[in-house]
Amino acid sequence: MFELKGIYCPIATPFVNDKIAYDKLDQNMEFWTASKLEGIVVMGSNGEFTSLRESEKEELIRHCCKVIDGKKRVVVGTGSNCMDETLHLCRVSADCGADAALVVTPFYFKGAMNDANLENYYTTLADKSPLPIIVYNMPLNAGVNTSYELLCRLSKHPNIVGVKDTSGNIVQICQTIFNCEKDFSVLAGNWAFLLPALFLGAKGGTLALSNIFPNECASMVELYNEGKYDECRALAKRLIPINAAVTTKYGIGGLKVAMEYVGLFGGEPRLPLRLPNDDVKKAIREALEYAGAEVRA
Amino acid sequence: MFELKGIYCPIATPFVNDKIAYDKLDQNMEFWTASKLEGIVVMGSNGEFTSLRESEKEELIRHCCKVIDGKKRVVVGTGSNCMDETLHLCRVSADCGADAALVVTPFYFKGAMNDANLENYYTTLADKSPLPIIVYNMPLNAGVNTSYELLCRLSKHPNIVGVKDTSGNIVQICQTIFNCEKDFSVLAGNWAFLLPALFLGAKGGTLALSNIFPNECASMVELYNEGKYDECRALAKRLIPINAAVTTKYGIGGLKVAMEYVGLFGGEPRLPLRLPNDDVKKAIREALEYAGAEVRA
Amino acid sequence: MFELKGIYCPIATPFVNDKIAYDKLDQNMEFWTASKLEGIVVMGSNGEFTSLRESEKEELIRHCCKVIDGKKRVVVGTGSNCMDETLHLCRVSADCGADAALVVTPFYFKGAMNDANLENYYTTLADKSPLPIIVYNMPLNAGVNTSYELLCRLSKHPNIVGVKDTSGNIVQICQTIFNCEKDFSVLAGNWAFLLPALFLGAKGGTLALSNIFPNECASMVELYNEGKYDECRALAKRLIPINAAVTTKYGIGGLKVAMEYVGLFGGEPRLPLRLPNDDVKKAIREALEYAGAEVRA
Amino acid sequence: MFELKGIYCPIATPFVNDKIAYDKLDQNMEFWTASKLEGIVVMGSNGEFTSLRESEKEELIRHCCKVIDGKKRVVVGTGSNCMDETLHLCRVSADCGADAALVVTPFYFKGAMNDANLENYYTTLADKSPLPIIVYNMPLNAGVNTSYELLCRLSKHPNIVGVKDTSGNIVQICQTIFNCEKDFSVLAGNWAFLLPALFLGAKGGTLALSNIFPNECASMVELYNEGKYDECRALAKRLIPINAAVTTKYGIGGLKVAMEYVGLFGGEPRLPLRLPNDDVKKAIREALEYAGAEVRA
């Protein structure tokens, strides 16, 4: 059975003239599939899944699964506020051979997002989905948090296999790891707390940073498993500034700039997102250099 | 030209077996179109717009415009996180003869939702939309707020005609009214602060409460315009408990229960939303009776 | 019996070389006592009460009561996190002839500040205090909010006479006015929402702005009572920018700068507060000019 | 020179009839001074420092220093919103032979608590204080956070020796450890994240939990230093429920109940705090038993 572990890359979706640029995506994908990544997340937050129409989502899933072609595990971000769409995308993904579905908490009716409603939502979905479900806890964007008590209950469902926790709440992550079923995987959602999460028992991470540093991200898990903790701390420190630049500080616009600097195709995000200004670009460049990257152009 | 004023009802979308029940909708619509409402909002928050697939949205717009058939103004909630979908729905709505589009702030990438990005988003959209745009400020659900400074800049755009402000931030509402262009309308997004908003210069409201009390809601504007302030205060007080029950306290599940009690079709919301439990139902019933409604069954 | 109404000025405490400058205070007090203010609040937030030692507080109370000498009502901000100190200061204030005590919610142990604990706190205090208690709801600074349900229960206590609500939450203010005992007064805590609060039934306000514009603040209540609503709106609008400058935007440092500009003694606040920089000073000056003040130096 | 490391116990202050009960304190102190604790924090949050009058604070400092009598390090929580009081208490503490002062961020004027004002505040204080200063970052209670950038600047001051971080923000803790001066100590402020903080380089913790489990808390540091990570994780897990009960869940009321259960004097907290109800007491008892404590009565 599918074991959720290691580093997954939530890949950016490239746009040219506001259309998905599949040729650019394929170029980037060569880099990612040749790396030490465990898997690819199609249509994670960094894939701008909320900015895609339903027809584009289907097309993108089919394309990515075909291009990846078994070289890496594939997780598809099928979550949306419309459960029927989510379920449809789970089915499409299963047809295409994906390994699992990453499903963000519904994120509009915040007043109703209590544990009971979320439990009902996820178990109903998992009962019907042909793919294993990974809960995506993304309070920063969704404004909703999945408590560890909820995750513990969900971890008993045979078709719910793990959580990507982007909250950065280390106490919650700790409680989730200590109390959920043993075969339920916790993945850190950001490089900034991957290392302490691994120390507590996380199985890996799905990290925006791995768009540009897939091998360095994968190395962290290797070094950790080898007990090379001082090297882990040094690596963590070296990549913290660029990680902040492509996540909390400058978001997807920042990530796309950084991708260009390391030789990948970045391009522009869709509105409302935009590319950062020149001062921010300079800061991103410096963070890349601090990280030891060879910066182009 | 279209003048945005009076009470609009953001109608609930009825579901039977999780499908849109158009026959039930038509029954409810008869009640609303026969009332003193100024207009109907199709696919507002209470219409569970985020729980509909794109194809359902199109179908619902076409159906409602046909059924309303000029009896009331029609505003369509076309907002989504995908601007291309939003624009498409604006065009569909224009084809169907709708009067304006209500566009919620994008609500996923919260870190990027600063005034500059929101201004760029709304002006780009308004440039392309065949329908006038009403900004929908819904921080409770969206986790994003449109500042009055932003609204003042947007109010200068010829195709942005107003804001539905559900923040309840009376200082912001006051500043918006005092500082925006004179032909820019401010609508209160909740009964709870409709009255003070009117006193400051708001032109009306779009109110969940008007699903069940359309005439009472419309009366408030009439009474206010007639200077009958004590009657306004008494009316406000009488409906505050039921308003809280169908909005902040119990949400759409609460609204659908209340609709059943007053003889409309309510039905069940789509997941993740659910109907409330029996204790809550009893509280809703009591709030309806306090408001003076004849409660059935 | 004492009726809580009209405009109270929460006076700034002047410091020279970090000591309370009583001579400067007396000069300012002449201006305030000669104005149309209803009363003076000694040691409100603008009086930097949290920056004073207990011995200074006693001395300041005694001095102010003596100087005011019956020319205005006197309310003393006796609240602190130590109830024993609060009660002591209530007794000192009563000895000096003050009219009431303004008691902020305890503001450190936020996790314990539920309605039940706050109710127990205020009723215990009111039972022992020789002075009537005014609840001070200041969520912006205290991080604690008093719900309207709590206020309704407290309004039944014979020695709790009103609330200064600085939350700006107009729904809460409305519910408080509509549901508390009739002899319980609600005072708006900020100019920015004084007008809509009056329309709903507030009895007045205690306003930082009245340090510099006591007569204009008092005029709002007069104009409102005379039914001159358009003049009220115009006055509200004219003072909104300077009000923001001396409260939410630049705080007490901003207020002290503005005081200097209108000919009062401002001086420096105590650390951690500081005076604003030159750009902010310029903005304050402009806001004063917009308000129609004659700016000195 | 004084090196800040290991486990400090922020001791509860015992009250009988609302007065400090020194005899009870002395009994408890025997237990703490006989344990493996590194030091004692007098008047931390658990000491209800905000509920004490200034004269009580002085008396309590003198008493504790005398009773501890060099058996343990002594840190005094001298922080208050009044800098002059804070400085006075630093001097009293120095006279009594205390080792350092723990100074919470000022916590009332939240709008002014930016990095620049906090830097000015702490450096001014540290310049004048006869005792080394430990920054106390307690956002949960104070509503103010000290960023790692601020801490890095403060860490260069010769008289600022460390931070007690109770935020639980592991990314901030990590950045603080990685970027501050090498002789600047980071102490975890809660058992719930002590272990991951140690892994990242924290020097110890000051933990409410150590009131009842001083040796277990001290053992964590020992086990960690010996590289016994699996034992660390097991110990962390075993004490997480009781830790939550005496901190985030039930606060100081919960702590005082737990103290009684393990044979210490707990007593009642001062208002607004209160002892929890019987259901909560039962939950605390169960958490103690889960932790392996022998519960009395």
Side-chain angles (χ1 to χ4, degrees):
Chain A
M1 181 177 161
F2 170 56
E3 188 194 350
L4 184 61
K5 63 179 178 56
I7 301 298
Y8 280 72
C9 179
I11 60 172
T13 303
F15 300 102
V16 170
N17 294 327
D18 222 33
K19 300 290 171 198
I20 300 179
Y22 286 103
D23 55 335
K24 305 300 186 186
L25 178 58
D26 294 351
Q27 291 169 26
N28 289 346
M29 196 72 90
E30 278 186 41
F31 172 67
W32 294 320
T33 53
S35 75
K36 296 194 293 178
L37 289 169
E38 173 78 12
I40 300 290
V41 177
V42 180
M43 303 193 324
S45 292
N46 293 290
E48 296 174 65
F49 73 99
T50 56
S51 302
L52 302 176
R53 292 181 72 171
E54 193 182 314
S55 55
E56 290 177 314
K57 290 181 181 181
E58 271 202 52
E59 193 180 57
L60 184 60
I61 294 168
R62 293 188 192 283
H63 183 90
C64 286
C65 286
K66 195 169 164 191
V67 171
I68 296 169
D69 191 29
K71 296 188 204 90
K72 296 289 176 193
R73 293 282 185 193
V74 178
V75 168
V76 180
T78 61
S80 83
N81 285 299
C82 174
M83 192 194 223
D84 197 43
E85 180 185 317
T86 298
L87 200 51
H88 172 68
L89 295 175
C90 286
R91 287 170 182 147
V92 169
S93 301
D95 284 349
C96 297
D99 294 282
L102 179 68
V103 180
V104 69
T105 56
F107 52 94
Y108 190 65
F109 295 111
K110 295 188 175 55
M113 292 303 97
N114 52 52
D115 276 12
N117 280 351
L118 287 169
E119 184 177 357
N120 181 59
Y121 173 83
Y122 276 109
T123 53
T124 304
L125 184 72
D127 285 346
K128 295 182 180 175
S129 167
L131 282 184
I133 300 294
I134 303 165
V135 175
Y136 185 11
N137 188 39
M138 194 0 155
L140 200 69
N141 282 358
V144 173
N145 182 54
T146 54
S147 73
Y148 84 88
E149 292 95 339
L150 169 64
L151 292 171
C152 288
R153 289 197 296 275
L154 293 178
S155 76
K156 296 185 201 307
H157 193 291
N159 206 27
I160 300 180
V161 298
V163 63
K164 170 180 178 177
D165 195 314
T166 309
S167 69
N169 180 334
I170 201 72
V171 178
Q172 176 171 285
I173 288 170
C174 178
Q175 290 276 62
T176 304
I177 293 168
F178 285 0
N179 294 291
C180 283
E181 297 293 306
K182 289 304 155 210
D183 58 354
F184 183 83
S185 296
V186 175
L187 299 186
N190 193 297
W191 173 263
F193 53 86
L194 172 64
L195 180 55
L198 289 173
F199 183 68
L200 293 170
K203 296 287 171 52
T206 108
L207 310 172
L209 184 67
S210 66
N211 275 279
I212 48 177
F213 288 122
N215 291 329
E216 288 79 354
C217 290
S219 291
M220 179 65 97
V221 179
E222 291 174 3
L223 290 168
Y224 180 77
N225 288 336
E226 293 163 8
K228 295 177 177 168
Y229 302 134
D230 282 338
E231 291 180 47
C232 287
R233 290 181 199 103
L235 180 58
K237 184 176 177 181
R238 182 158 67 88
L239 298 189
I240 280 177
I242 184 61
N243 176 70
V246 302
T247 60
T248 46
K249 273 193 180 168
Y250 312 121
I252 292 172
L255 175 62
K256 290 195 160 177
V257 164
M259 288 174 73
E260 295 280 351
Y261 280 140
V262 299
L264 295 165
F265 178 83
E268 288 199 69
R270 279 190 170 169
L271 296 191
L273 303 182
R274 292 194 289 180
L275 291 180
N277 64 29
D278 286 348
D279 283 350
V280 168
K281 284 182 184 168
K282 188 156 167 284
I284 292 170
R285 191 186 185 99
E286 287 167 3
L288 279 169
E289 286 165 351
Y290 177 85
E294 202 177 323
V295 179
R296 306 184 189 193
Chain B
M1 184 181 158
F2 168 57
E3 189 193 350
L4 184 62
K5 64 180 177 56
I7 302 297
Y8 280 72
C9 178
I11 61 172
T13 304
F15 300 102
V16 170
N17 294 328
D18 222 34
K19 299 291 171 197
I20 299 178
Y22 286 103
D23 55 336
K24 305 299 187 187
L25 179 58
D26 293 352
Q27 291 169 25
N28 289 345
M29 196 71 90
E30 279 185 40
F31 172 69
W32 295 319
T33 52
S35 74
K36 296 195 291 178
L37 287 170
E38 172 78 11
I40 300 289
V41 177
V42 180
M43 304 194 321
S45 292
N46 293 289
E48 296 175 63
F49 73 99
T50 55
S51 301
L52 303 176
R53 291 180 73 170
E54 193 182 316
S55 55
E56 292 177 313
K57 291 182 180 180
E58 271 202 52
E59 193 180 56
L60 184 60
I61 293 167
R62 294 187 191 283
H63 183 91
C64 286
C65 287
K66 195 170 163 190
V67 171
I68 296 169
D69 191 28
K71 297 189 203 91
K72 296 288 176 195
R73 293 282 185 192
V74 179
V75 168
V76 180
T78 60
S80 83
N81 285 299
C82 173
M83 192 194 224
D84 196 44
E85 181 185 316
T86 298
L87 200 51
H88 173 69
L89 295 175
C90 286
R91 287 170 182 148
V92 169
S93 301
D95 284 349
C96 296
D99 294 283
L102 179 67
V103 180
V104 69
T105 56
F107 51 93
Y108 190 65
F109 295 111
K110 295 188 174 55
M113 292 303 96
N114 51 54
D115 276 12
N117 280 351
L118 286 170
E119 185 177 358
N120 181 59
Y121 173 84
Y122 276 109
T123 53
T124 303
L125 184 70
D127 285 346
K128 295 181 181 175
S129 167
L131 282 184
I133 299 295
I134 304 166
V135 175
Y136 185 10
N137 188 37
M138 194 359 156
L140 201 69
N141 282 359
V144 173
N145 182 55
T146 54
S147 72
Y148 84 89
E149 291 95 339
L150 168 64
L151 292 171
C152 289
R153 288 197 296 275
L154 293 178
S155 76
K156 297 184 200 306
H157 193 290
N159 206 27
I160 300 179
V161 298
V163 63
K164 169 181 179 177
D165 195 313
T166 309
S167 70
N169 180 337
I170 201 72
V171 178
Q172 176 170 285
I173 288 171
C174 178
Q175 290 276 63
T176 305
I177 293 168
F178 285 180
N179 294 292
C180 283
E181 297 293 307
K182 289 305 155 207
D183 60 354
F184 183 83
S185 296
V186 175
L187 299 185
N190 193 296
W191 174 262
F193 52 87
L194 172 65
L195 180 55
L198 289 173
F199 183 68
L200 293 170
K203 297 286 171 55
T206 108
L207 310 172
L209 185 66
S210 66
N211 275 278
I212 48 177
F213 289 123
N215 291 329
E216 289 79 355
C217 290
S219 291
M220 179 65 97
V221 178
E222 290 173 5
L223 290 168
Y224 180 77
N225 288 336
E226 294 162 6
K228 297 177 177 170
Y229 302 135
D230 282 337
E231 291 180 46
C232 286
R233 289 181 199 102
L235 180 58
K237 184 176 176 180
R238 181 159 66 88
L239 298 189
I240 280 177
I242 184 60
N243 176 70
V246 302
T247 59
T248 46
K249 272 192 182 168
Y250 312 123
I252 292 171
L255 175 62
K256 291 195 159 178
V257 164
M259 289 174 71
E260 295 280 352
Y261 280 140
V262 299
L264 295 165
F265 178 82
E268 288 198 69
R270 279 191 170 168
L271 296 190
L273 303 182
R274 292 193 290 178
L275 290 181
N277 64 30
D278 285 348
D279 285 350
V280 168
K281 284 181 183 167
K282 188 156 166 287
I284 292 169
R285 191 185 185 99
E286 288 167 3
L288 279 169
E289 286 165 351
Y290 178 84
E294 202 178 323
V295 179
R296 306 185 187 191
Chain C
M1 182 181 159
F2 168 58
E3 188 193 349
L4 184 60
K5 64 179 176 58
I7 302 297
Y8 280 72
C9 179
I11 61 173
T13 304
F15 300 102
V16 170
N17 295 327
D18 221 35
K19 300 291 172 198
I20 299 178
Y22 286 102
D23 53 337
K24 306 298 186 185
L25 178 58
D26 293 352
Q27 292 170 25
N28 289 346
M29 196 71 91
E30 279 186 41
F31 171 68
W32 295 319
T33 53
S35 74
K36 297 194 291 178
L37 288 170
E38 173 77 11
I40 300 289
V41 177
V42 180
M43 303 193 323
S45 293
N46 294 290
E48 296 175 64
F49 73 98
T50 55
S51 301
L52 302 175
R53 292 181 72 169
E54 194 182 315
S55 54
E56 291 177 313
K57 291 181 181 181
E58 272 202 51
E59 192 180 57
L60 183 61
I61 294 167
R62 295 188 190 284
H63 182 90
C64 287
C65 287
K66 195 169 166 193
V67 171
I68 296 169
D69 191 27
K71 296 187 206 91
K72 297 289 176 193
R73 294 281 186 193
V74 179
V75 168
V76 180
T78 61
S80 82
N81 285 300
C82 174
M83 192 194 222
D84 197 43
E85 180 185 317
T86 298
L87 200 51
H88 172 69
L89 295 175
C90 285
R91 288 170 182 147
V92 169
S93 302
D95 284 349
C96 297
D99 293 282
L102 178 69
V103 180
V104 69
T105 55
F107 51 94
Y108 190 65
F109 295 112
K110 295 186 174 58
M113 290 305 96
N114 52 53
D115 276 12
N117 281 350
L118 287 169
E119 185 178 357
N120 181 60
Y121 174 83
Y122 276 109
T123 53
T124 304
L125 184 71
D127 285 345
K128 296 182 180 174
S129 167
L131 282 184
I133 299 294
I134 304 166
V135 175
Y136 185 13
N137 187 37
M138 195 0 156
L140 201 71
N141 281 1
V144 173
N145 182 54
T146 54
S147 73
Y148 84 88
E149 292 94 340
L150 169 63
L151 292 171
C152 288
R153 289 197 296 275
L154 294 178
S155 76
K156 298 184 200 306
H157 193 290
N159 207 27
I160 300 180
V161 298
V163 63
K164 170 182 179 177
D165 195 312
T166 309
S167 68
N169 181 336
I170 200 73
V171 178
Q172 176 170 286
I173 288 171
C174 177
Q175 290 276 63
T176 304
I177 293 168
F178 284 0
N179 294 290
C180 283
E181 297 295 306
K182 289 305 156 209
D183 59 354
F184 183 82
S185 296
V186 175
L187 299 186
N190 193 296
W191 173 262
F193 53 87
L194 172 64
L195 179 56
L198 289 173
F199 183 68
L200 293 170
K203 297 287 172 51
T206 109
L207 310 173
L209 184 67
S210 66
N211 276 279
I212 48 177
F213 288 122
N215 290 329
E216 289 79 356
C217 291
S219 290
M220 178 65 96
V221 179
E222 290 174 3
L223 290 169
Y224 180 78
N225 288 337
E226 295 163 6
K228 297 178 177 167
Y229 302 134
D230 282 337
E231 291 180 47
C232 286
R233 290 182 198 101
L235 180 58
K237 185 176 175 181
R238 181 159 66 88
L239 298 188
I240 280 178
I242 184 61
N243 176 70
V246 302
T247 59
T248 47
K249 272 193 182 168
Y250 313 123
I252 292 172
L255 175 62
K256 291 196 159 179
V257 163
M259 290 174 71
E260 295 280 351
Y261 280 141
V262 299
L264 295 165
F265 178 82
E268 288 199 68
R270 278 190 171 170
L271 296 191
L273 303 182
R274 293 193 290 179
L275 290 180
N277 64 30
D278 285 348
D279 284 349
V280 169
K281 284 181 184 168
K282 187 155 166 288
I284 292 169
R285 190 184 186 101
E286 287 167 3
L288 279 168
E289 286 165 351
Y290 177 85
E294 204 178 321
V295 179
R296 306 186 188 191
Chain D
M1 184 182 157
F2 169 56
E3 187 193 351
L4 183 62
K5 65 179 177 57
I7 301 297
Y8 280 72
C9 179
I11 60 173
T13 304
F15 300 102
V16 170
N17 295 327
D18 222 34
K19 300 290 171 198
I20 299 178
Y22 286 102
D23 55 335
K24 305 299 186 185
L25 178 59
D26 293 351
Q27 291 169 26
N28 289 346
M29 197 70 91
E30 279 186 39
F31 172 67
W32 294 319
T33 52
S35 74
K36 295 193 292 178
L37 288 170
E38 173 78 10
I40 300 289
V41 177
V42 180
M43 303 194 322
S45 292
N46 293 290
E48 296 174 65
F49 74 98
T50 55
S51 301
L52 302 176
R53 291 181 72 170
E54 192 182 316
S55 55
E56 290 177 314
K57 290 181 181 181
E58 271 202 52
E59 192 181 58
L60 184 60
I61 294 167
R62 294 188 191 284
H63 182 90
C64 286
C65 286
K66 195 170 164 191
V67 171
I68 296 169
D69 191 27
K71 295 189 205 89
K72 297 287 176 195
R73 292 281 185 193
V74 179
V75 168
V76 180
T78 60
S80 83
N81 284 299
C82 174
M83 193 193 221
D84 196 44
E85 180 185 316
T86 298
L87 199 51
H88 172 70
L89 295 175
C90 285
R91 287 170 182 146
V92 169
S93 301
D95 284 349
C96 297
D99 294 282
L102 179 68
V103 180
V104 69
T105 55
F107 51 94
Y108 190 65
F109 296 111
K110 295 185 175 55
M113 291 304 97
N114 52 53
D115 276 12
N117 280 351
L118 287 169
E119 184 177 358
N120 181 58
Y121 174 84
Y122 276 109
T123 53
T124 305
L125 183 72
D127 284 347
K128 295 180 181 176
S129 166
L131 282 185
I133 300 294
I134 304 166
V135 175
Y136 185 12
N137 188 37
M138 193 3 155
L140 201 70
N141 282 0
V144 174
N145 182 55
T146 54
S147 73
Y148 84 89
E149 291 94 339
L150 168 64
L151 292 171
C152 288
R153 288 197 295 275
L154 294 178
S155 76
K156 297 185 200 307
H157 192 291
N159 206 27
I160 300 180
V161 298
V163 63
K164 170 180 179 178
D165 195 312
T166 309
S167 69
N169 180 335
I170 201 73
V171 177
Q172 177 171 287
I173 289 171
C174 177
Q175 289 276 63
T176 305
I177 293 169
F178 284 0
N179 294 291
C180 283
E181 298 293 306
K182 289 305 153 208
D183 59 353
F184 183 82
S185 296
V186 175
L187 299 186
N190 193 296
W191 174 262
F193 52 87
L194 172 64
L195 180 55
L198 289 173
F199 183 67
L200 293 169
K203 297 286 171 53
T206 109
L207 311 172
L209 185 66
S210 66
N211 275 278
I212 48 177
F213 288 123
N215 290 329
E216 289 78 356
C217 290
S219 290
M220 179 64 96
V221 178
E222 290 174 4
L223 289 168
Y224 180 78
N225 288 336
E226 293 164 6
K228 295 176 177 169
Y229 302 133
D230 282 336
E231 291 180 48
C232 286
R233 289 182 200 102
L235 180 58
K237 184 176 176 181
R238 182 158 67 87
L239 298 188
I240 280 177
I242 185 60
N243 176 68
V246 302
T247 59
T248 47
K249 273 192 180 169
Y250 312 122
I252 292 171
L255 175 62
K256 290 194 160 179
V257 164
M259 289 174 71
E260 295 280 350
Y261 279 141
V262 299
L264 295 165
F265 178 83
E268 288 199 69
R270 279 190 170 169
L271 296 192
L273 303 183
R274 292 194 289 180
L275 290 181
N277 64 29
D278 286 347
D279 284 349
V280 168
K281 283 181 184 168
K282 187 156 166 286
I284 292 170
R285 191 185 184 98
E286 287 167 3
L288 279 169
E289 285 164 352
Y290 177 85
E294 203 178 322
V295 180
R296 307 186 188 189

